[in-house]
Amino acid sequence: MNRPTGTDDGGAPDGPRLPRRGQGQLESQVLTVLCSAVGPATAGWVQEHLDGDLAYTTVITILSRLYAKNAVTRTRQGRSYVWTPASDEAGLAALRMRRVLDGERDREAVLARFVSALSPGDEARLRALLSRAADTSGPHDDSAAPEG
C-alpha cells in the first residue's frame, strides 16, 4: 500500500525525514540523560533533556525496555513513575553482550571468535580484567564447570 508523502525525496510533507536511530542507540541516549539527572527523573524530564524530538510515548517505551533489562529502576510517584539509572552505558552494553551469549548454544565457540576478533589492546585489557577477577574471587575448581 503506497501512501503519498507530499515530497519527491521520501521526506515528510513539512520537510526531510530525520534518520532513524537504532533501539540500542536510543536506549543509550535515554540512559545518558537519566544518568545526568541529580536524582530520580520523570519521563517528561528525560524527554526535555534529549536531543531531538522524541515523543513522550517513545521515551516511556525506552524507559520500560531499560527497566525490563534491569538498567533502570522506577518508583511510583502519583500516577506515574520516576526513573533512576541502575547501570551506566557500559553496564547496558555488558547486559546486551550477555544476552547475546546466553542465546547461543556453543558458548565456547562464540567466546573464542569474540576474543580472536579483538584488537591486541582490547585483548590485553580483557586478559587483565579476567586476571583481576580471578584474583578477587579466590581459588575455584573449573573441572566441575559444564561444557558447551
Side-chain angles (χ1 to χ4, degrees), residues 80-114:
S80 61
Y81 292 103
V82 289
W83 306 83
T84 307
S87 183
D88 57 8
E89 287 185 61
L92 183 59
L95 284 170
R96 281 192 216 111
M97 292 167 65
R98 178 64 189 262
R99 232 183 19 243
V100 168
L101 184 59
D102 287 346
E104 296 297 325
R105 266 191 12 221
D106 191 349
R107 296 170 73 93
E108 185 173 340
V110 172
L111 288 168
R113 295 277 176 100
F114 177 75

Side-chain angles (χ1 to χ4, degrees), residues 32-144:
T32 298
V33 167
L34 194 57
C35 286
S36 74
V38 176
T42 64
W45 186 91
V46 172
Q47 180 192 24
E48 289 173 17
H49 289 84
L50 283 168
D51 294 331
D53 295 323
L54 281 183
Y56 179 80
T57 54
T58 302
V59 174
I60 290 289
T61 298
I62 294 165
L63 286 167
S64 297
R65 287 179 181 160
L66 290 169
Y67 178 75
K69 295 175 183 180
N70 297 317
V72 300
T73 61
R74 67 184 183 192
T75 306
R76 180 74 75 179
Q77 188 174 56
R79 291 183 3 201
S80 61
Y81 292 103
V82 289
W83 306 83
T84 307
S87 183
D88 57 8
E89 287 185 61
L92 183 59
L95 284 170
R96 281 192 216 111
M97 292 167 65
R98 178 64 189 262
R99 232 183 19 243
V100 168
L101 184 59
D102 287 346
E104 296 297 325
R105 266 191 12 221
D106 191 349
R107 296 170 73 93
E108 185 173 340
V110 172
L111 288 168
R113 295 277 176 100
F114 177 75
V115 170
S116 69
L118 292 174
S119 69
D122 283 342
E123 184 177 344
R125 283 182 198 91
L126 180 58
R127 289 185 188 283
L129 289 168
L130 289 170
S131 176
R132 231 182 299 157
D135 291 345
T136 60
S137 67
H140 58 285
D141 183 7
D142 283 336
S143 63

